[in-house]
């Protein structure tokens, strides 16, 4: 996992670049899909399907699609992961070290991500303008409704200049439609 020193160096470089070239932090952002929905609704399956579909398009239409896991409680990931929050923090580690239950550990992990949000920015900024990033988000709806964690993460992404290149996808199991 990245260290605090690594984060500080990267932040200093970005701050300096933004001061010299303010437009450089808002131009050339990759396109992003933020995939949300209840636990077990098929978010990861959707991410894999989109990644595989884009890889099979003809040469002139093919697009590089990256999928990132933002669910610190994810157990089985069936797509090629570009970056994974579990490299920063995981629910299992928090449960073991702090003795919290699964929901408390998940909230702790997401708040930890907010405290170390530059890790996410560094990961997202590594993609080129012509690439596509899918963010596979946690399925616990409390993170969207009762605790403003996901809202704050998306607000932060807007501040980094991704607002015009983001879309959200809400997955729900077809049996509930």
């Amino acid at each position: 996992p990245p260290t605090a020193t690594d984060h500080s160096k990267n932040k200093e470089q970005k701050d300096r670049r933004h001061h010299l070239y303010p437009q450089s932090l808002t131009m050339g952002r990759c396109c992003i899909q933020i995939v949300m929905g209840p636990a077990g609704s098929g978010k990861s399956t959707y991410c894999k399907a989109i990644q595989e579909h884009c890889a099979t398009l003809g040469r002139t239409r093919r697009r590089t699609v990256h999928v990132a896991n933002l669910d610190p409680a994810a157990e089985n990931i069936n797509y090629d992961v570009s970056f994974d929050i579990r490299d920063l923090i995981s629910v299992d580690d928090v449960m073991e070290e702090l003795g919290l239950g699964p929901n408390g550990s998940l909230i702790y992990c997401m708040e930890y991500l907010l405290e170390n949000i530059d890790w996410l920015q560094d990961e997202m900024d590594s993609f080129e303008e012509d690439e596509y990033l899918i963010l596979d988000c946690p399925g616990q709806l409390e993170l969207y409704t009762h605790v403003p964690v996901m809202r704050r993460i998306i607000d932060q992404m807007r501040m980094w200049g991704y607002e015009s290149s983001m879309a959200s996808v809400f997955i729900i199991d077809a049996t509930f439609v």
Side-chain angles (χ1 to χ4, degrees), residues 72 89-91 94-95 98-112 140 142-143 147:
I89 191 166
S90 74
V91 164
V94 171
M95 287 175 64
L98 300 179
L100 297 174
N103 289 341
S105 294
L106 179 63
I107 291 171
Y108 182 92
C109 288
M110 299 310 288
E111 288 175 346
Y112 185 85
Q140 285 64 25
E142 297 83 6
L143 296 172
V147 181

Side-chain angles (χ1 to χ4, degrees), residues 17-89:
R17 189 175 73 218
H18 187 259
H19 177 70
L20 296 173
Y21 309 103
Q23 72 281 9
S24 69
L25 292 181
T26 58
M27 296 176 62
R29 297 295 191 192
C30 65
C31 291
I32 300 171
Q33 272 189 31
I34 303 163
V35 180
M36 301 172 279
S41 62
K43 295 179 300 298
S44 296
T45 302
Y46 169 83
C47 292
K48 179 182 180 183
I50 294 296
Q51 189 177 51
E52 288 177 350
H53 170 74
C54 290
T56 61
L57 294 173
R59 185 187 302 174
T60 58
R61 293 179 32 198
R62 187 171 301 143
R63 187 168 199 170
T64 304
V65 174
H66 303 277
V67 182
N69 175 43
L70 289 186
D71 184 356
E75 293 177 357
N76 300 317
I77 295 181
N78 57 0
Y79 48 76
D80 294 329
V81 180
S82 293
F83 65 89
D84 190 336
I85 189 174
R86 295 173 306 168
D87 293 335
L88 179 68
I89 191 166

Side-chain angles (χ1 to χ4, degrees), residues 40-41 172-177:
S41 62
I172 189 163
D173 191 316
T175 58
F176 297 113
V177 175

